[in-house]
Amino acid sequence: MSETTPHVLIVDDDPGIRMALNANFLRQGWTSETASGVREALRLIDRKSYDLVISDMRMPDGDGMEVLETVRATAPNTAVILLTAHGSVSQAVESMRHGAFDYLTKPVSFDQLRSMADRVLKSVKQQETPVAEPTVAASVPQATRNIVGTSPALLAALERARAAASTGADVLVEAESGAGKELLARYIHDMSDRANKPFVAVNCAAVPDHLIESELFGHTKGAFTGATGMRTGKFELANGGTLLLDEIGEMPLHLQPKLLRVLQEREFERLGDTRTLHVDIRIIATTNAGLAAMVERGSFRHDLYYRLNVIPLSLPPLRERMQDLPALAQHFALRFGAENRCATPQLAPSFLAAIARHSWPGNVREFGNFMRRVLSLHQGVVIDEACFDREFRPVLKQESTNPQGQMPVAGTRIADLERMHLERTLVLTGGNRTHAAEMLGVSLRTVRNKIKEYGLPPRSYA
């Protein structure tokens, strides 16, 4: 590594791109070298140290993955940015899981490149300080490692999210329950220049109405009955970073004007305080309910919707990216095998075929819960179709019939059907009320109220 000025190696067979990138880095005060292909780049990497290597993905004598693998093996502290044409974005995303710092789609955006270069410099400075902890940007982001798959629908969502991350704009993520909205929000944070700042999440559906204002904005001692001390709100905790407003559609209507003011001005007061606090934060809101339809019904303010919907994003449900199931299954096998402190289970082709025959209406969350159950109860064996049948079919039977094995009879009271459906969903989620609420498309408080209304045993559904 250079002790004074940062050092970059630019690898591309296109002389025009090499010259443009070289000039861009020289203007930023970097020392820059270029290579016209993979072989020349590998010779330079073998003899010199670089803070950053920028490599084209496809060249006549090799590809950027060779450059990446060599750098990761010989100089793990060197950041690698890959340049890719639109058609090879999937390969670039996969390369990030192997340690690439980031990637750019041609034609190159110099604004994005400048932002990435600044992040590289920050990580270099922390690596040179013995007491510094590694930054999120210095390695593959955790959220990136947890978003598994290479289907076109998923890669398109990730590419749009990565483009959004390079801006400072607020983001609205609309997707089905269990599709991975929070993971996408963390991905945006990790890929942004706020990666080393706080990521704070608040579930708007899980906080009681009378406490959500205090949860968001904080309060002073004595602000209301029970306020025995000062509380710092989520907006203040997220200062400098990202605030995730999960299930924003559950925000009480009477609080939406105050939230709108904070989003517009980035300022607020704690409950019981007259001092105005200013924050620098990015807002990412998520919902499994169509906010546009809620606006039409009058249950969500139109001005707040337009303020949140600066960059709209969506995530495909699992049924639209079924080709990702084998990779997801292996991901969970590695993860839960480590949690259970056992060797990674072997997934038989019959098991992979069996999981592909189900649409997974609860999306990745449902599939992950199912994999946890299978891998926890069938340790030390090859996971095959018999394991699938043993752990999945009983749930299917409970889900599709009443206790007598019959479909609901016409004329059954709506309340009885509602109770039956709620009980089956709670069975399917292992009693998890939060997951049940997401699968049913209602708020957590609605599930709580229905459990109480129907007299379901509360301890069974904690």
Side-chain angles (χ1 to χ4, degrees):
M1 293 287 177
S2 169
E3 295 181 0
T4 54
T5 58
H7 201 179
V8 60
L9 174 64
I10 299 163
V11 188
D12 201 298
D13 60 310
D14 186 324
I17 291 178
R18 290 200 306 273
M19 291 176 61
L21 293 179
N22 183 63
N24 184 275
F25 276 96
L26 290 176
R27 284 195 299 269
Q28 295 182 60
W30 289 62
T31 299
S32 178
E33 292 185 71
T34 64
S36 60
V38 173
R39 294 191 186 93
E40 184 181 359
L42 296 184
R43 285 197 298 269
L44 289 171
I45 292 168
D46 185 53
R47 297 200 303 263
K48 300 180 181 180
S49 296
Y50 299 92
D51 298 296
L52 172 63
V53 173
I54 299 178
S55 175
D56 190 15
M57 182 64 81
R58 294 179 181 176
M59 290 169 281
D61 63 341
D63 61 32
M65 291 301 293
E66 294 180 60
V67 177
L68 173 62
E69 290 169 2
T70 300
V71 171
R72 302 314 299 161
T74 62
N77 289 332
T78 298
V80 178
I81 295 174
L82 295 172
L83 306 181
T84 175
H86 179 74
S88 59
V89 167
S90 60
Q91 187 179 11
V93 172
E94 185 64 24
S95 72
M96 293 186 65
R97 299 195 179 99
H98 290 83
F101 185 86
D102 212 326
Y103 72 92
L104 282 172
T105 303
K106 293 182 177 180
V108 175
S109 165
F110 289 114
D111 288 338
Q112 282 185 289
L113 182 60
R114 189 174 300 110
S115 174
M116 291 178 189
D118 289 342
R119 288 164 53 201
V120 169
L121 286 181
K122 289 180 183 178
S123 66
V124 168
K125 288 177 181 177
Q126 290 203 347
Q127 290 162 6
E128 291 173 349
T129 305
V131 296
E133 296 182 359
T135 65
V136 175
S139 59
V140 182
Q142 182 66 40
T144 306
R145 294 196 294 269
N146 287 334
I147 300 177
V148 177
T150 57
S151 60
L154 178 64
L155 291 178
L158 289 179
E159 185 177 7
R160 183 172 173 85
R162 193 182 67 86
S166 65
T167 74
D170 294 340
V171 176
L172 176 63
V173 182
E174 295 190 274
E176 293 182 7
S177 295
K181 295 186 291 296
E182 183 169 345
L183 279 181
L184 189 67
R186 288 184 180 274
Y187 175 85
I188 293 170
H189 173 77
D190 288 348
M191 300 304 293
S192 74
D193 57 6
R194 298 177 183 265
N196 299 319
K197 301 297 183 179
F199 178 91
V200 178
V202 56
N203 188 329
C204 300
V207 183
D209 285 358
H210 66 285
L211 292 179
I212 194 164
E213 193 170 1
S214 171
E215 184 78 8
L216 293 176
F217 309 124
H219 63 250
T220 59
K221 182 178 179 180
F224 51 85
T225 302
T228 57
M230 192 275 287
R231 176 186 176 88
T232 302
K234 293 294 195 291
F235 273 89
E236 193 173 349
L237 291 173
N239 192 23
T242 301
L243 176 64
L244 169 62
L245 297 175
D246 195 18
E247 298 306 338
I248 188 65
E250 296 295 329
M251 179 67 64
L253 197 59
H254 71 275
L255 283 181
Q256 292 180 22
K258 187 168 184 177
L259 178 60
L260 177 64
R261 178 225 167 182
V262 179
L263 296 184
Q264 290 175 333
E265 307 298 335
R266 293 310 201 248
E267 63 181 32
F268 62 95
E269 294 82 33
R270 295 193 191 110
L271 292 179
D273 201 348
T274 57
R275 291 177 303 161
T276 298
L277 301 176
H278 300 268
V279 288
D280 170 25
I281 57 175
R282 177 190 214 145
I283 301 294
I284 301 178
T286 68
T287 178
N288 63 8
L291 289 190
M294 293 182 66
V295 169
E296 291 182 4
R297 294 195 301 269
S299 56
F300 199 87
R301 289 180 62 101
H302 65 89
D303 47 3
L304 179 57
Y305 170 66
Y306 296 135
R307 182 60 187 80
L308 290 168
N309 198 33
V310 180
I311 299 181
L313 296 179
S314 62
L315 264 177
L318 191 52
R319 64 181 175 275
E320 293 180 7
R321 56 184 190 98
M322 296 294 279
Q323 70 189 71
D324 291 335
L325 272 177
L328 274 168
Q330 188 60 37
H331 168 77
F332 287 124
L334 288 167
R335 174 178 163 186
F336 298 140
E339 287 183 9
N340 294 329
R341 297 182 180 179
C342 63
T344 301
Q346 181 180 345
L347 305 179
S350 63
F351 178 81
L352 298 178
I355 63 176
R357 290 195 290 268
H358 182 58
S359 62
W360 304 104
N363 293 300
V364 179
R365 179 179 291 117
E366 179 192 0
F367 181 62
N369 287 340
F370 171 72
M371 289 296 296
R372 183 188 289 275
R373 181 165 70 249
V374 170
L375 296 170
S376 297
L377 298 178
H378 300 273
Q379 297 182 27
V381 300
V382 175
I383 307 299
D384 57 14
E385 187 174 12
C387 298
F388 175 90
D389 291 343
R390 198 168 299 126
E391 303 305 331
F392 190 77
R393 298 288 169 79
V395 175
L396 272 182
K397 185 176 180 180
Q398 284 180 297
E399 188 182 40
S400 60
T401 64
N402 64 19
Q404 287 72 43
Q406 303 296 321
M407 293 297 292
V409 177
T412 303
R413 292 193 318 140
I414 295 295
D416 293 336
L417 292 175
E418 185 177 65
R419 173 186 173 133
M420 187 185 305
H421 190 52
L422 176 59
E423 284 187 293
R424 290 171 183 164
T425 304
L426 287 165
V427 169
L428 187 64
T429 63
N432 190 303
R433 291 178 296 181
T434 300
H435 294 174
E438 292 172 342
M439 291 181 69
L440 292 170
V442 299
S443 69
L444 178 59
R445 65 177 61 90
T446 297
V447 170
R448 288 172 177 161
N449 291 340
K450 290 297 181 182
I451 289 175
K452 184 177 180 180
E453 176 184 343
Y454 294 130
L456 301 181
R459 283 183 292 181
S460 300
Y461 309 115

Short mmCIF file of all heavy atoms in Angstrom, two decimals, residues 175-183 247 288 315-318 321 328 332 360-369 434-435 438-439:
data_model
loop_
_atom_site.label_atom_id
_atom_site.label_comp_id
_atom_site.label_asym_id
_atom_site.label_seq_id
_atom_site.Cartn_x
_atom_site.Cartn_y
_atom_site.Cartn_z
N ALA A 175 -43.30 -4.97 -1.12
CA ALA A 175 -43.14 -6.39 -1.47
C ALA A 175 -43.99 -7.22 -0.53
O ALA A 175 -44.44 -6.75 0.53
CB ALA A 175 -41.67 -6.81 -1.36
N GLU A 176 -44.21 -8.48 -0.90
CA GLU A 176 -44.99 -9.38 -0.07
C GLU A 176 -44.25 -9.68 1.23
O GLU A 176 -43.03 -9.55 1.32
CB GLU A 176 -45.27 -10.69 -0.82
CG GLU A 176 -46.18 -10.54 -2.01
CD GLU A 176 -46.46 -11.88 -2.69
OE1 GLU A 176 -46.04 -12.93 -2.13
OE2 GLU A 176 -47.08 -11.87 -3.76
N SER A 177 -45.01 -10.11 2.23
CA SER A 177 -44.41 -10.50 3.50
C SER A 177 -43.43 -11.65 3.30
O SER A 177 -43.72 -12.60 2.57
CB SER A 177 -45.49 -10.92 4.50
OG SER A 177 -46.32 -9.83 4.81
N GLY A 178 -42.29 -11.53 3.97
CA GLY A 178 -41.31 -12.61 3.91
C GLY A 178 -40.41 -12.58 2.71
O GLY A 178 -39.56 -13.46 2.56
N ALA A 179 -40.56 -11.58 1.82
CA ALA A 179 -39.75 -11.55 0.60
C ALA A 179 -38.34 -11.01 0.85
O ALA A 179 -37.45 -11.20 0.02
CB ALA A 179 -40.44 -10.70 -0.48
N GLY A 180 -38.12 -10.33 1.98
CA GLY A 180 -36.79 -9.83 2.29
C GLY A 180 -36.66 -8.32 2.23
O GLY A 180 -35.60 -7.81 1.86
N LYS A 181 -37.72 -7.61 2.62
CA LYS A 181 -37.69 -6.14 2.53
C LYS A 181 -36.60 -5.54 3.42
O LYS A 181 -35.91 -4.61 3.02
CB LYS A 181 -39.07 -5.58 2.89
CG LYS A 181 -40.18 -5.96 1.92
CD LYS A 181 -41.47 -5.26 2.25
CE LYS A 181 -42.11 -5.72 3.53
NZ LYS A 181 -42.54 -7.14 3.49
N GLU A 182 -36.47 -6.05 4.64
CA GLU A 182 -35.46 -5.48 5.53
C GLU A 182 -34.05 -5.80 5.03
O GLU A 182 -33.15 -4.98 5.14
CB GLU A 182 -35.63 -6.00 6.96
CG GLU A 182 -34.62 -5.37 7.92
CD GLU A 182 -34.90 -5.64 9.38
OE1 GLU A 182 -36.02 -6.08 9.72
OE2 GLU A 182 -34.00 -5.40 10.21
N LEU A 183 -33.86 -6.99 4.47
CA LEU A 183 -32.55 -7.31 3.89
C LEU A 183 -32.20 -6.34 2.76
O LEU A 183 -31.05 -5.90 2.64
CB LEU A 183 -32.53 -8.74 3.36
CG LEU A 183 -32.31 -9.86 4.37
CD1 LEU A 183 -32.31 -11.20 3.67
CD2 LEU A 183 -31.01 -9.66 5.13
N GLU A 247 -43.08 -1.57 7.71
CA GLU A 247 -44.55 -1.60 7.68
C GLU A 247 -45.12 -0.20 7.94
O GLU A 247 -45.93 0.01 8.86
CB GLU A 247 -45.09 -2.63 8.68
CG GLU A 247 -44.67 -4.05 8.37
CD GLU A 247 -45.00 -4.50 6.94
OE1 GLU A 247 -45.89 -3.89 6.32
OE2 GLU A 247 -44.36 -5.44 6.45
N ASN A 288 -46.01 -4.15 3.10
CA ASN A 288 -46.56 -5.28 2.34
C ASN A 288 -47.97 -4.97 1.87
O ASN A 288 -48.65 -5.84 1.31
CB ASN A 288 -46.55 -6.58 3.17
CG ASN A 288 -47.44 -6.49 4.40
OD1 ASN A 288 -48.18 -5.54 4.58
ND2 ASN A 288 -47.35 -7.49 5.26
N LEU A 315 -39.46 -6.15 -4.50
CA LEU A 315 -38.75 -7.42 -4.48
C LEU A 315 -39.67 -8.51 -5.01
O LEU A 315 -40.84 -8.57 -4.62
CB LEU A 315 -38.33 -7.78 -3.05
CG LEU A 315 -36.92 -7.42 -2.59
CD1 LEU A 315 -36.75 -7.79 -1.12
CD2 LEU A 315 -35.87 -8.11 -3.43
N PRO A 316 -39.18 -9.38 -5.87
CA PRO A 316 -40.05 -10.44 -6.39
C PRO A 316 -40.36 -11.47 -5.32
O PRO A 316 -39.50 -11.80 -4.50
CB PRO A 316 -39.21 -11.05 -7.53
CG PRO A 316 -37.79 -10.80 -7.12
CD PRO A 316 -37.81 -9.47 -6.42
N PRO A 317 -41.59 -12.00 -5.29
CA PRO A 317 -41.88 -13.11 -4.37
C PRO A 317 -41.12 -14.35 -4.81
O PRO A 317 -40.66 -14.45 -5.96
CB PRO A 317 -43.40 -13.29 -4.53
CG PRO A 317 -43.71 -12.76 -5.89
CD PRO A 317 -42.75 -11.63 -6.12
N LEU A 318 -40.97 -15.29 -3.91
CA LEU A 318 -40.17 -16.48 -4.18
C LEU A 318 -40.73 -17.28 -5.35
O LEU A 318 -39.97 -17.88 -6.12
CB LEU A 318 -40.09 -17.35 -2.93
CG LEU A 318 -39.08 -18.51 -2.94
CD1 LEU A 318 -37.70 -18.02 -3.35
CD2 LEU A 318 -39.04 -19.19 -1.59
N ARG A 321 -39.12 -16.50 -8.59
CA ARG A 321 -37.69 -16.78 -8.76
C ARG A 321 -37.35 -18.17 -8.21
O ARG A 321 -36.42 -18.35 -7.43
CB ARG A 321 -36.84 -15.69 -8.11
CG ARG A 321 -37.09 -15.43 -6.64
CD ARG A 321 -36.25 -14.24 -6.16
NE ARG A 321 -36.23 -14.05 -4.74
CZ ARG A 321 -35.26 -14.47 -3.93
NH1 ARG A 321 -34.21 -15.13 -4.43
NH2 ARG A 321 -35.30 -14.25 -2.63
N LEU A 328 -30.75 -21.13 -2.28
CA LEU A 328 -31.27 -20.77 -0.96
C LEU A 328 -31.22 -21.96 0.00
O LEU A 328 -30.86 -21.81 1.17
CB LEU A 328 -32.72 -20.30 -1.10
CG LEU A 328 -32.94 -18.82 -1.44
CD1 LEU A 328 -34.39 -18.59 -1.82
CD2 LEU A 328 -32.56 -17.93 -0.26
N PHE A 332 -29.16 -22.02 3.55
CA PHE A 332 -29.71 -22.34 4.87
C PHE A 332 -29.05 -23.59 5.46
O PHE A 332 -28.89 -23.69 6.68
CB PHE A 332 -31.22 -22.52 4.78
CG PHE A 332 -31.98 -21.23 4.59
CD1 PHE A 332 -32.83 -21.05 3.51
CD2 PHE A 332 -31.81 -20.18 5.48
CE1 PHE A 332 -33.53 -19.86 3.34
CE2 PHE A 332 -32.51 -18.99 5.32
CZ PHE A 332 -33.36 -18.82 4.25
N TRP A 360 -44.50 -21.67 -1.84
CA TRP A 360 -43.98 -20.91 -0.70
C TRP A 360 -44.65 -19.53 -0.58
O TRP A 360 -44.00 -18.50 -0.78
CB TRP A 360 -42.46 -20.77 -0.78
CG TRP A 360 -41.77 -22.10 -0.87
CD1 TRP A 360 -41.23 -22.67 -1.99
CD2 TRP A 360 -41.61 -23.05 0.20
NE1 TRP A 360 -40.73 -23.92 -1.68
CE2 TRP A 360 -40.95 -24.18 -0.35
CE3 TRP A 360 -41.95 -23.05 1.54
CZ2 TRP A 360 -40.63 -25.31 0.40
CZ3 TRP A 360 -41.65 -24.18 2.30
CH2 TRP A 360 -40.99 -25.28 1.73
N PRO A 361 -45.96 -19.52 -0.23
CA PRO A 361 -46.66 -18.23 -0.13
C PRO A 361 -46.07 -17.30 0.92
O PRO A 361 -46.24 -16.09 0.83
CB PRO A 361 -48.10 -18.65 0.23
CG PRO A 361 -47.97 -20.03 0.80
CD PRO A 361 -46.84 -20.66 0.06
N GLY A 362 -45.39 -17.85 1.94
CA GLY A 362 -44.72 -17.02 2.94
C GLY A 362 -43.33 -16.58 2.51
O GLY A 362 -42.59 -15.99 3.30
N ASN A 363 -42.97 -16.91 1.25
CA ASN A 363 -41.71 -16.47 0.64
C ASN A 363 -40.48 -16.99 1.38
O ASN A 363 -40.53 -18.06 1.97
CB ASN A 363 -41.71 -14.95 0.49
CG ASN A 363 -42.74 -14.49 -0.51
OD1 ASN A 363 -42.68 -14.87 -1.68
ND2 ASN A 363 -43.72 -13.71 -0.07
N VAL A 364 -39.40 -16.23 1.35
CA VAL A 364 -38.12 -16.72 1.89
C VAL A 364 -38.24 -16.99 3.38
O VAL A 364 -37.61 -17.90 3.90
CB VAL A 364 -36.99 -15.71 1.60
CG1 VAL A 364 -35.67 -16.21 2.18
CG2 VAL A 364 -36.85 -15.50 0.09
N ARG A 365 -39.04 -16.18 4.09
CA ARG A 365 -39.18 -16.42 5.54
C ARG A 365 -39.79 -17.79 5.80
O ARG A 365 -39.31 -18.55 6.64
CB ARG A 365 -40.02 -15.34 6.19
CG ARG A 365 -40.21 -15.57 7.69
CD ARG A 365 -41.04 -14.50 8.36
NE ARG A 365 -40.31 -13.24 8.39
CZ ARG A 365 -40.70 -12.13 7.77
NH1 ARG A 365 -41.80 -12.15 7.05
NH2 ARG A 365 -40.01 -11.03 7.85
N GLU A 366 -40.86 -18.12 5.08
CA GLU A 366 -41.48 -19.44 5.25
C GLU A 366 -40.49 -20.54 4.89
O GLU A 366 -40.35 -21.53 5.62
CB GLU A 366 -42.74 -19.55 4.39
CG GLU A 366 -43.42 -20.91 4.52
CD GLU A 366 -44.50 -21.16 3.48
OE1 GLU A 366 -44.73 -20.28 2.63
OE2 GLU A 366 -45.09 -22.26 3.50
N PHE A 367 -39.79 -20.38 3.78
CA PHE A 367 -38.84 -21.40 3.34
C PHE A 367 -37.71 -21.54 4.36
O PHE A 367 -37.29 -22.65 4.68
CB PHE A 367 -38.28 -21.03 1.97
CG PHE A 367 -37.31 -22.06 1.43
CD1 PHE A 367 -37.72 -23.36 1.17
CD2 PHE A 367 -35.99 -21.72 1.18
CE1 PHE A 367 -36.83 -24.30 0.68
CE2 PHE A 367 -35.10 -22.64 0.69
CZ PHE A 367 -35.51 -23.95 0.44
N GLY A 368 -37.21 -20.41 4.89
CA GLY A 368 -36.15 -20.47 5.88
C GLY A 368 -36.59 -21.17 7.15
O GLY A 368 -35.84 -21.98 7.73
N ASN A 369 -37.82 -20.89 7.61
CA ASN A 369 -38.33 -21.57 8.80
C ASN A 369 -38.47 -23.06 8.57
O ASN A 369 -38.18 -23.88 9.45
CB ASN A 369 -39.69 -20.96 9.20
CG ASN A 369 -39.55 -19.58 9.80
OD1 ASN A 369 -38.49 -19.20 10.28
ND2 ASN A 369 -40.64 -18.83 9.81
N THR A 434 -45.89 -12.42 14.80
CA THR A 434 -45.40 -11.44 13.84
C THR A 434 -45.42 -12.01 12.43
O THR A 434 -45.89 -11.38 11.48
CB THR A 434 -43.97 -11.00 14.21
OG1 THR A 434 -44.00 -10.41 15.51
CG2 THR A 434 -43.44 -9.98 13.20
N HIS A 435 -44.89 -13.24 12.28
CA HIS A 435 -44.89 -13.87 10.96
C HIS A 435 -46.31 -14.16 10.48
O HIS A 435 -46.61 -14.04 9.29
CB HIS A 435 -44.07 -15.16 11.01
CG HIS A 435 -42.62 -14.93 11.26
ND1 HIS A 435 -41.72 -15.96 11.45
CD2 HIS A 435 -41.90 -13.78 11.34
CE1 HIS A 435 -40.51 -15.44 11.66
NE2 HIS A 435 -40.60 -14.13 11.60
N GLU A 438 -47.81 -11.04 9.08
CA GLU A 438 -47.28 -10.71 7.75
C GLU A 438 -47.89 -11.61 6.68
O GLU A 438 -48.20 -11.16 5.58
CB GLU A 438 -45.75 -10.83 7.77
CG GLU A 438 -45.09 -9.75 8.63
CD GLU A 438 -43.61 -9.96 8.81
OE1 GLU A 438 -43.15 -11.10 8.57
OE2 GLU A 438 -42.92 -9.00 9.17
N MET A 439 -48.05 -12.89 6.98
CA MET A 439 -48.63 -13.81 6.01
C MET A 439 -50.10 -13.48 5.74
O MET A 439 -50.58 -13.61 4.61
CB MET A 439 -48.50 -15.26 6.49
CG MET A 439 -47.07 -15.77 6.51
SD MET A 439 -46.96 -17.49 7.05
CE MET A 439 -47.72 -18.32 5.66
#
